[in-house]
Amino acid sequence: MATVALTEENFDEVTKKDGIVLVDFWASWCGPCVRFAPTYERSSEQHPGITFGKVDTEAQQMLAAKFDIRSIPTIMAIRDSVIVFSQPGALPESALESLIEQVEKLDMDDVRKQLAAQAG
């Protein structure tokens, strides 16, 4: 599956469903972003059950601000509408694969309990 361009218009629709969505916050002028793009694209082809989204921070400044993106690239993992990971920096392919494995193994009931305890 190819990557999906995420915008203010479709972000919630894409990320508020069950399953895993990875989001790459990037910009065309960002060298590390450009170098990370082929790795991200390859991973999207290896994991057809996962949605791989890309947010162009220049075109989608409101989304970048909403998620307090201060450094790009930033990779965010969302599972079942819950942000479970967000970190700046281009990941090597092995680290991206490890992140995907960890997100797939999460017990989402436990994650929701932890979030509720933190909020309470």
Side-chain angles (χ1 to χ4, degrees), residues 7-109:
T7 64
E8 284 184 71
E9 291 75 32
N10 72 356
F11 190 89
D12 286 344
E13 176 188 334
V14 172
T15 61
K16 297 286 187 211
K17 58 187 178 188
D18 286 347
I20 298 171
V21 179
L22 293 181
V23 182
D24 174 19
F25 290 88
W26 70 285
S28 60
W29 51 261
C30 162
C33 299
V34 172
R35 288 190 296 279
F36 177 65
T39 299
Y40 195 69
E41 192 69 38
R42 273 192 306 277
S43 189
S44 77
E45 292 164 6
Q46 293 170 7
H47 299 279
I50 296 174
T51 300
F52 285 74
K54 291 179 75 76
V55 175
D56 180 342
T57 56
E58 287 297 303
Q60 302 298 322
Q61 293 181 13
M62 296 296 285
L63 272 179
K66 177 180 178 180
F67 293 103
D68 199 26
I69 303 301
R70 297 175 185 269
S71 179
I72 54 175
T74 289
I75 304 302
M76 180 182 288
I78 302 167
R79 178 158 170 207
D80 302 342
S81 304
V82 178
I83 297 171
V84 295
F85 177 87
S86 183
Q87 177 179 305
L91 297 174
E93 198 155 351
S94 60
L96 182 58
E97 290 301 313
S98 175
L99 169 63
I100 291 168
E101 285 178 30
Q102 291 174 51
V103 172
E104 288 174 332
K105 291 178 184 173
L106 284 174
D107 177 339
M108 290 309 292
D109 290 334

